[in-house]
Every structure is written in structure tokens, then in C-alpha cells.
Amino acid sequence: MHLGATLRLLRVDAGLSLRDLARRIGVSSAYLSRVENGVDAPPTVERLTAIARELDVPPALLMDVANRVSPYVAEYLEDVPGSGTLFLELARRRLTGAQLARVRDFLDAEFPVRGGTHGDAPVPALAPLLAPERVVLQVSCGGWEDVLDVVAGRLAAALPGVDTARLVEGLSKLDDLSSCAVGGGVAVPHVFLPGVPSVVALVTLAKGLKVDTPDGRPLRLVVAAVDGERGRVRLIRMAHVARLAARGLAERLDEARQPAQVLAALEELEALR
């Protein structure tokens, strides 16, 4: 997974320059540029936490994208050695997302979290923003422009008064500022249109599209969004999609042939949030 592409996408959308973010977290612009371009290894947990704070997104999202273990987990394993056995039992049983959601519901009922959740904000689910008519499967596209036409058409249909050409222009403009490919065969084009509701469209491609991606993998899945407000919810959603991409979202949805299968798979994956 390419953490750097996600960091650059979030930074640009948050309106921060490379120099601004580097200064805020106490590193050089050259170092942060190397991270964003995949030259240097992912930052330490401490630096990822600092970056998340400046971008106003939950640190756990960035740690998941970077495949880093949350310090809360590491501390708990050290303080309560027996907890490792429970993690092992979960792994041995290979619980699905839906089954893990049931375990979490039990924990919430029997052992509610007290005193907050270390500052992590709730992550808005992706599935509720989708609808079957905005899920297009196994599309054949000759290039990135064709992909944008498809997603813009589905998004425009859900937004009265917004035409497809306007959406294509907005999606293309933002992609020119920072590539919306986050790795794992996934891209997250997005556009800001003041006053409109948040709407998402999802497209899987019949054949991997060879475009510029941070990890060199062909593009297989596009999750496009329109938002009427800027801010942390929008950034958190993009980071969330990047986390799902790191968990194999493109491969999981590649076999789907009906929109209902996509929505069910998303709900299961999002149960692991």
C-alpha cells in the first residue's frame, strides 16, 4: 500500500502546502516529499499521529493505511499479556466482518468505553452514501477521461441542477492538483460543490486501466464523491477509502456482479472500522 499518495491527497484537499505541513510536524519539506513519493519508509507512529492531528483525521486511519500497529494496541498487549491469546483466538476463527461487528456490539454493551476514544472521531460509513443506481460494475473504459464520464453521469443523476460536464471539469481539476489514485487499484476522485448533499458513485473496471498509480498497479476500482462542504468529514472519508483499499477492496469487489453484492461487501468491510 502507498501511504504517501494518501497523505498527499489529504494534504492538498486540506489546503496545506508541503512546506506548511512539514513545518507543523517538525520535519523538512524534503523528507515529507520523499514520504509522499514513496521514496522513504512510512513515518513512525508518533509522526503519523502528528500528521493526522494537523489534517484533522483519526490517527488510526493513517496507521491502517501504513500497516502500523496502533500504540494503544501495543501498550495494551504489554500491560495485559494475556490479551494476546484473545487476538490469536480471533485470528484462528477467521471471523468475518459481520461476526466481528457482533463481537464489538457485545463489548460495547458489556464493557462500554469510558472517557472517550483517544480523540478518534467516528468514521462516516461509505455504504449509506451509495445507491444501487450509482454502482456500475465491470465497465470497459479506454482511458481516465472515460472513467470520469461514467462516474460524473451517475453523480449528476442524483444532483438536480448539476450537469455531467460540470462534474467532469471539477473532478479533472482536482486530479490535476494531486493524483486521486491511492494504491491497491483504487482511485478516489472528488469534487466540492457548495450546497449540494454528499453523494458517492462506485465503478469497477472490466480490465485494469494503466494509468499513473503510486504502486504501479492497474486501476480496478473508482470511488467518486461530490461534497457540499469541505472539512474533516470529507478528509476522513477519503482516508477511510484508502484504508479499505489497503484491506483489498478492489479485489473484494472485482467479483461482484450485482450492486447489492457491492453494498453487502462494503457493509462487512466497514464493520471492521
Side-chain angles (χ1 to χ4, degrees):
M1 197 63 207
H2 198 298
L3 171 71
T6 299
L7 294 181
R8 181 170 59 247
L9 185 67
L10 296 177
R11 174 180 60 75
V12 171
D13 202 78
L16 290 173
S17 70
L18 187 73
R19 180 174 296 178
D20 286 339
L21 182 56
R23 176 181 53 80
R24 292 187 184 191
I25 64 172
V27 301
S28 70
S29 298
Y31 164 76
L32 188 57
S33 176
R34 292 195 302 271
V35 170
E36 289 190 351
N37 287 286
V39 177
D40 278 14
T44 63
V45 167
E46 291 75 20
R47 278 186 177 160
L48 278 177
T49 301
I51 291 171
R53 181 182 64 246
E54 297 303 328
L55 294 175
D56 201 16
V57 301
L61 281 175
L62 298 186
M63 290 176 199
D64 280 352
V65 176
N67 291 318
R68 296 286 196 194
V69 175
S70 167
Y72 310 129
V73 174
E75 289 170 9
Y76 183 66
L77 286 170
E78 184 174 347
D79 293 342
V80 187
S83 62
T85 303
L86 179 57
F87 288 135
L88 177 60
E89 290 301 319
L90 292 174
R92 286 178 55 198
R93 285 165 172 76
R94 301 189 66 82
L95 300 186
T96 65
Q99 290 168 333
L100 285 172
R102 290 172 56 192
V103 173
R104 188 169 62 182
D105 288 342
F106 170 79
L107 293 174
D108 287 341
E110 294 293 322
F111 310 103
V113 175
R114 303 187 187 280
T117 56
H118 304 286
D120 276 3
V123 176
L126 185 64
L129 296 177
L130 279 167
E133 62 270 18
R134 293 195 299 278
V135 176
V136 190
L137 304 176
Q138 298 299 307
V139 177
S140 296
C141 292
W144 180 238
E145 295 77 10
D146 293 343
V147 175
L148 292 184
D149 283 338
V150 173
V151 296
R154 296 305 172 112
L155 291 169
L159 298 169
V162 178
D163 61 36
T164 301
R166 181 184 178 190
L167 287 177
V168 170
E169 181 182 0
L171 293 168
S172 299
K173 182 178 180 180
L174 284 176
D175 192 51
D176 288 341
L177 294 174
S178 175
S179 171
C180 60
V182 294
V186 179
V188 287
H190 50 282
V191 64
F192 168 63
L193 296 178
V196 305
S198 295
V199 179
V200 172
L202 184 150
V203 173
T204 66
L205 302 177
K207 184 178 180 181
L209 192 62
K210 293 183 178 180
V211 296
D212 186 20
T213 59
D215 54 5
R217 293 178 58 179
L219 189 63
R220 301 301 300 262
L221 173 67
V222 178
V223 180
V226 178
D227 285 292
E229 294 183 4
R230 295 187 185 275
R232 72 184 320 232
V233 172
R234 170 183 166 98
L235 292 173
I236 288 173
R237 188 192 312 119
M238 284 191 285
H240 174 51
V241 175
R243 171 171 66 177
L244 294 177
R247 293 176 177 173
L249 181 63
E251 291 81 1
R252 180 70 179 273
L253 299 186
D254 194 44
E255 297 179 358
R257 294 298 180 268
Q258 298 293 332
Q261 294 174 312
V262 169
L263 296 175
L266 273 176
E267 289 173 358
E268 181 173 334
L269 285 170
E270 292 191 312
L272 301 174
R273 289 181 294 157

